[in-house]
Amino acid sequence: MLSLMRRFLDTWAAKVFFLLLVGMFGVWGVSGNARVYGNGLIFWASKVGTENGTLTVYNTKDNTLEVTRGCFRGTVDRFLEA
């Protein structure tokens, strides 16, 4: 079942679906706690590490950098120590 889903993700139909999904979020927006105001900094990279995960670095309200990668969430210094 997983291999079938992974093969589907490489098709043009899946790419069109995700493009439509992103477009809907762009038109209708995101509400609740996910609202972002002002000029925030964000860095995002995929296929990071041996597990090919996603690494995200962004500014917090305190103007510090925070890192998320898998289950980890913390400062850049804590991430580099791990």
Side-chain angles (χ1 to χ4, degrees), residues 27-60:
V27 171
W28 290 303
V30 179
S31 63
N33 292 332
R35 290 185 183 177
V36 178
Y37 298 97
N39 295 329
L41 299 175
I42 187 167
F43 171 80
W44 168 75
S46 290
K47 297 185 179 180
V48 175
T50 58
E51 297 173 348
N52 292 326
T54 299
L55 173 74
T56 309
V57 182
Y58 54 92
N59 263 3
T60 64

Side-chain angles (χ1 to χ4, degrees), residues 8-73:
F8 174 73
L9 291 176
D10 288 332
T11 65
W12 65 269
K15 293 174 184 174
V16 168
F17 171 75
F18 285 115
L19 183 62
L20 288 172
L21 187 64
V22 169
M24 285 190 286
F25 276 108
V27 171
W28 290 303
V30 179
S31 63
N33 292 332
R35 290 185 183 177
V36 178
Y37 298 97
N39 295 329
L41 299 175
I42 187 167
F43 171 80
W44 168 75
S46 290
K47 297 185 179 180
V48 175
T50 58
E51 297 173 348
N52 292 326
T54 299
L55 173 74
T56 309
V57 182
Y58 54 92
N59 263 3
T60 64
K61 290 181 182 180
D62 305 335
N63 205 26
T64 60
L65 292 177
E66 187 163 288
V67 178
T68 60
R69 166 64 176 86
C71 295
F72 176 84
R73 182 175 153 211

